[in-house]
Amino acid sequence: MARDYTLQRVPRQTESQIDYAAELNPQQFAAVTAPPGPALVIAGAGSGKTRTLTYRVAYLLDNGIKAGNILLLTFTNKAAREMLDRVEQLVPQDTRDIWGGTFHSIGNRILRRHAELLGWDRNFTIMDREDQKDLMSSVVSESDVDPKAYRFPKADVLLDMISLSQNTNEDLDELVAWRYPYFDHLREPIKRVRAAYDKKKLETNSMDFDDLLIRTLELLRDNEGLRESYQKQFEFVLVDEYQDTNHIQAELIDLLAARSKNVMVVGDDAQSIYSWRGADFRNILEFPERYPGAAVYKIETNYRSVPEILTLANSAIMANREQFRKDLEPHRPEREMLPALIPVHDPNTQAAFVAQRILELRDEGIELEEIAILYRAHFHSMEIQMELTNRGIPFMITSGLRFFEQAHIKDVAAFIKLVSNRRDEVAYKRIVRMLPGIGAKGADKLWREWLGSPIGKGEVVTNFSEIISQFTVPAKAKKAWEQLGYTFDELIDDEGNGFRPAQMIPSIVGGVYDDYLRSKFSNYESRKQDISQLERYSEKFENLDEFLSQLSLLAGQDAVGATRQEPDKESVTLSSIHQAKGLEWRAVFVVWLTDGMFPNSRVIEEDDDGKGLEEERRLFYVAVTRAKDELYLTYPLVWPNAHNGEVLQRASRFLEEIPGDLMEEWRVGTGW
């Protein structure tokens, strides 16, 4: 007969021995020990935001709040794990019942319990991006969208449109009109596809990541008993990075905290930089209005940066009107080295300065992994990537693929390759598959026709369009195919040879590629800027083959470097500022600080109410507060341009707003 044996839980202390006043600074202590009720904690850059939230959870547990009655919402799983692990080390209480995680993970947890109330089964599938694209492509193929319609948005673009509409609470009609004006004539079919996509998700018992928030909100709104149950359970709601919440997340917080009003949100309005993906700056700015009587705590002691950098940062954000005023105070001693302002002649000189100074910093004892180069847009890093590659300085990119590895750069290069080598099968198929209605089999067939034509046989040809007009193409591709022929005609001279690369690139984009770029990629403007940068780079090459060889060598070095680089190998970080938020380095270079680059030209031109410019200034503030010891602010005085010669550049207005005595200007001369 089996014997029953019960394991007993080891008794633990019910209260920690934390001396909160000793372990926290006075501002952190005030926030951590705040009485019940709504509270907004403005935690400046490097001020110990995570420490404050962690100790707040410990303080609640020490004061008798049960772990299961605490909800901790974060934006990354890593942040949630770090905080909960730290809480577990701080207190003797069992912390496993705390509801801690990202908004999406908490939404998923609730939906797994109650999905049937919305028509889904509890075992619903969560689609990743590839799954979403497959489902959307299926919906489009089954819809009444005219298959001959020129350049209907690809699945990726449709999904981004729908997601942005949901996360900004903006009508899809209006969003298409102002953000995707080139699809304005397709608004009705886009809306029908959206409705069919939602229906298909329900039919297939699938949800996407946006659904994890939207359906959770819908569930709680429409089911009073369920809503009240969760409101009673979550006596205390804590939110990290509140400045990054969108309207759905803010509403979800309000709904869950409606009963107790014990909601503490932590963030920094000066680091609100994600409006382009739906974050609403007004959420943190208007929190005291959403919660009348809310206590506001400011944590302003910075443990990251030296005083010289903090003084500059405080000055940099001063011009913003919409903000909670604060003044970061340094904890570290002075370093007696001001941030450096470095005007240089052109982008290549800027790259040379950055590379040379990096090598000097390494010799001075700063490891390469403690150095970062930050920029507003990915294409700003092109010359720097080439310079680092040529000097053998290892680097890793957190803002996407290396410049010459990007799909749109390879696409444009394919046209030039095919003009240079008319038997380049890879380039040919890459081009024809961009056209509507042509897949892998169609590309194979068209390649055989190409090989059998005078072009493929190596004869001198000056009129591509006349020859390829005889090829058999699907009806859907006829218009684009005709335009492709005209495009190739523009790429060759009267002797059948290709023009200079800088002459070819505008013809490629203006001919067929711009339409493809719009329909294929949601970040059309950014990729268009990349191609403009490629054009400027190509201006130095008279010879087509020399240009293509250089592209291949750079891409090859990139690939070899990426393959050989071990995860822990010392390397410089190249990153967009958006990607760098939350990170820090001993030395930081912020590059391309000219008006039109940073702040972005589109913001300058379209910013009627000043809100866009204020977000750009917050982005600059985020950039400079990444630096711990040394900060270098660089900009080129001229920008070589094939059409207008050397274009003079004006220093960024953000630099002009900073008193000159807060920076040391470096005059860079050339020794060659």
Side-chain angles (χ1 to χ4, degrees):
M1 181 176 175
R3 177 185 298 185
D4 292 330
Y5 185 85
T6 304
L7 290 173
Q8 302 295 325
R9 185 183 297 274
V10 177
R12 302 178 69 181
Q13 289 178 290
T14 58
E15 188 175 332
S16 73
Q17 301 301 307
I18 300 172
D19 185 343
Y20 290 95
E23 296 190 26
L24 302 165
N25 69 37
Q27 292 176 332
Q28 293 170 338
F29 179 76
V32 165
T33 60
L40 169 62
V41 181
I42 302 296
S47 65
K49 168 181 64 66
T50 300
R51 184 177 183 83
T52 301
L53 263 178
T54 300
Y55 274 78
R56 175 63 175 176
V57 175
Y59 182 79
L60 292 175
L61 293 170
D62 268 348
N63 282 271
I65 305 302
K66 293 179 180 177
N69 296 135
I70 298 172
L71 173 63
L72 173 63
L73 293 163
T74 66
F75 274 84
T76 66
N77 288 313
K78 180 184 177 185
R81 282 195 304 269
E82 285 179 355
M83 281 190 262
L84 292 175
D85 287 348
R86 180 66 179 136
V87 170
E88 190 172 357
Q89 294 168 14
L90 287 172
V91 300
Q93 296 94 328
D94 190 341
T95 63
R96 288 175 295 181
D97 289 338
I98 294 174
W99 278 54
T102 64
F103 284 88
H104 292 87
S105 68
I106 296 299
N108 177 55
R109 188 169 173 182
I110 292 173
L111 289 168
R112 291 294 177 191
R113 295 177 166 190
H114 315 288
E116 71 281 355
L117 294 174
L118 296 170
W120 275 265
D121 293 336
R122 295 187 188 186
N123 65 339
F124 61 84
T125 299
I126 301 173
M127 297 184 292
D128 61 18
R129 187 64 173 191
E130 287 305 311
D131 296 333
Q132 287 180 262
K133 285 166 61 177
D134 290 344
L135 192 68
M136 179 60 81
S137 297
S138 172
V139 166
V140 172
S141 67
E142 295 170 6
S143 71
D144 60 353
V145 172
D146 181 2
K148 296 181 181 179
Y150 192 59
R151 294 302 184 200
F152 192 74
K154 301 287 187 185
D156 250 343
V157 179
L158 287 167
L159 290 167
D160 280 345
M161 284 180 185
I162 293 167
S163 179
L164 191 60
S165 171
Q166 292 173 151
N167 286 303
T168 57
N169 199 28
E170 182 142 13
D171 182 79
L172 187 58
D173 268 345
E174 294 178 11
L175 185 133
V176 170
W178 72 267
R179 188 166 292 215
Y180 302 89
Y182 34 88
F183 292 130
D184 198 47
H185 62 296
L186 297 171
R187 278 191 286 172
E188 288 305 315
I190 287 171
K191 286 196 294 185
R192 291 197 299 273
V193 165
R194 174 184 180 169
Y197 175 66
D198 284 340
K199 184 180 178 184
K200 193 80 162 179
K201 285 188 290 184
L202 189 57
E203 289 173 354
T204 58
N205 196 36
S206 304
M207 291 192 189
D208 58 32
F209 278 95
D210 286 336
D211 285 321
L212 298 179
L213 299 181
I214 294 165
R215 303 306 169 194
T216 302
L217 191 57
E218 180 185 341
L219 178 75
L220 296 173
R221 272 184 188 156
D222 297 347
N223 296 274
E224 183 179 358
L226 193 65
R227 180 173 67 250
E228 290 179 352
S229 172
Y230 281 106
Q231 288 173 341
K232 288 176 183 175
Q233 178 180 347
F234 298 134
E235 294 179 22
F236 285 84
V237 178
L238 296 92
V239 186
D240 188 22
E241 302 284 13
Y242 186 70
Q243 79 281 345
D244 294 335
T245 54
N246 60 33
H247 89 99
I248 299 171
Q249 291 159 330
E251 197 169 339
L252 194 57
I253 293 162
D254 292 346
L255 189 150
L256 290 171
R259 182 173 184 268
S260 69
K261 296 291 194 297
N262 293 329
V263 55
M264 176 178 280
V265 300
V266 182
D268 183 5
D269 56 294
Q271 297 186 67
S272 178
I273 58 173
Y274 296 122
S275 65
W276 52 276
R277 68 183 190 197
D280 192 340
F281 174 63
R282 292 170 299 179
N283 288 343
I284 191 166
L285 212 61
E286 298 173 1
F287 183 85
E289 297 171 26
R290 296 169 79 111
Y291 290 87
V296 178
Y297 301 90
K298 293 182 181 179
I299 305 176
E300 298 171 300
T301 301
N302 176 286
Y303 294 89
R304 175 186 299 152
S305 305
V306 293
E308 294 88 346
I309 291 173
L310 285 187
T311 303
L312 183 144
N314 287 328
S315 176
I317 200 66
M318 190 70 68
N320 271 15
R321 296 186 305 275
E322 291 193 285
Q323 64 169 307
F324 291 104
R325 295 287 174 187
K326 58 183 171 299
D327 192 19
L328 292 179
E329 293 288 341
H331 180 74
R332 297 179 58 191
E334 290 186 355
R335 196 168 187 270
E336 297 182 355
M337 177 181 176
L338 290 174
L341 176 65
I342 307 105
V344 293
H345 180 260
D346 58 22
N348 289 324
T349 310
Q350 177 176 247
F353 166 77
V354 170
Q356 181 171 309
R357 185 63 187 140
I358 285 172
L359 293 175
E360 291 169 353
L361 289 171
R362 187 184 60 178
D363 291 343
E364 292 168 14
I366 298 180
E367 302 293 341
L368 292 184
E369 66 262 28
E370 287 286 352
I371 302 171
I373 303 162
L374 306 182
Y375 35 81
R376 172 64 180 82
H378 191 46
F379 77 88
H380 295 167
S381 69
M382 190 190 77
E383 291 91 356
I384 293 169
Q385 288 187 45
M386 291 189 293
E387 187 70 23
L388 295 179
T389 299
N390 291 337
R391 294 196 187 212
I393 301 173
F395 62 93
M396 65 175 185
I397 297 181
T398 64
S399 55
L401 293 171
R402 297 186 178 214
F403 188 84
F404 297 107
E405 294 175 342
Q406 298 175 103
H408 51 296
I409 299 299
K410 288 185 173 182
D411 288 344
V412 171
F415 286 86
I416 302 173
K417 287 179 178 179
L418 192 61
V419 169
S420 175
N421 172 18
R422 293 168 194 180
R423 297 184 67 82
D424 190 328
E425 181 177 354
V426 173
Y428 179 84
K429 289 182 176 179
R430 186 180 188 103
I431 293 166
V432 300
R433 288 185 67 178
M434 295 177 197
L435 307 184
I438 299 178
K441 289 184 179 179
D444 287 340
K445 181 177 177 298
L446 287 166
W447 174 244
R448 289 193 293 272
E449 292 193 57
W450 176 273
L451 286 178
S453 73
I455 305 170
K457 290 177 180 177
E459 299 176 20
V460 175
V461 174
T462 59
N463 193 333
F464 276 53
S465 58
E466 185 176 318
I467 293 171
I468 72 170
S469 66
Q470 308 302 314
F471 291 13
T472 305
V473 295
K476 187 177 180 181
K478 278 192 177 297
K479 184 178 177 182
W481 186 258
E482 181 181 344
Q483 183 59 53
L484 179 65
Y486 296 145
T487 298
F488 275 117
D489 289 346
E490 291 183 20
L491 305 184
I492 55 176
D493 60 22
D494 292 339
E495 298 177 356
N497 299 314
F499 288 116
R500 293 175 61 243
Q503 293 173 269
M504 296 173 73
I505 292 173
S507 296
I508 293 165
V509 175
V512 294
Y513 192 65
D514 194 60
D515 280 333
Y516 175 78
L517 196 66
R518 290 180 193 271
S519 66
K520 175 73 174 175
F521 302 109
S522 59
N523 57 343
Y524 163 75
E525 295 291 347
S526 174
R527 291 176 187 261
K528 187 82 177 285
Q529 287 179 321
D530 284 348
I531 294 170
S532 296
Q533 191 74 352
L534 178 70
E535 181 188 344
R536 281 184 286 276
Y537 170 66
S538 71
E539 289 163 7
K540 65 177 79 170
F541 297 94
E542 294 290 334
N543 183 281
L544 205 60
D545 293 331
E546 184 185 349
F547 171 69
L548 291 171
S549 296
Q550 187 66 16
L551 286 191
S552 298
L553 288 170
L554 285 166
Q557 284 175 303
D558 283 353
V560 169
T563 303
R564 290 180 180 171
Q565 183 170 315
E566 298 297 326
D568 58 349
K569 182 176 179 180
E570 186 186 9
S571 58
V572 175
T573 297
L574 272 66
S575 176
S576 70
I577 301 164
H578 285 102
Q579 292 284 340
K581 184 173 172 291
L583 304 176
E584 59 184 39
W585 295 269
R586 286 186 62 189
V588 169
F589 295 81
V590 187
V591 300
W592 269 107
L593 282 165
T594 63
D595 255 23
M597 295 295 180
F598 195 2
N600 180 275
S601 58
R602 190 173 179 183
V603 172
I604 296 172
E605 292 163 8
E606 300 176 5
D607 189 36
D608 296 330
D609 57 8
K611 290 183 178 178
L613 194 59
E614 292 215 346
E615 178 155 334
E616 290 283 297
R617 192 176 286 108
R618 293 195 294 271
L619 192 61
F620 178 61
Y621 175 83
V622 167
V624 300
T625 54
R626 300 309 94 200
K628 295 196 284 188
D629 298 340
E630 299 188 24
L631 176 64
Y632 300 87
L633 307 171
T634 76
Y635 67 95
L637 296 167
V638 299
W639 189 13
N641 187 292
H643 311 294
N644 305 312
E646 289 191 338
V647 179
L648 294 178
Q649 298 289 290
R650 173 190 166 189
S652 170
R653 61 193 67 193
F654 301 151
L655 293 176
E656 295 178 350
E657 292 167 355
I658 300 170
D661 60 358
L662 300 185
M663 300 176 285
E664 179 185 20
E665 184 171 340
W666 291 25
R667 295 190 182 93
V668 176
T670 56
W672 57 80

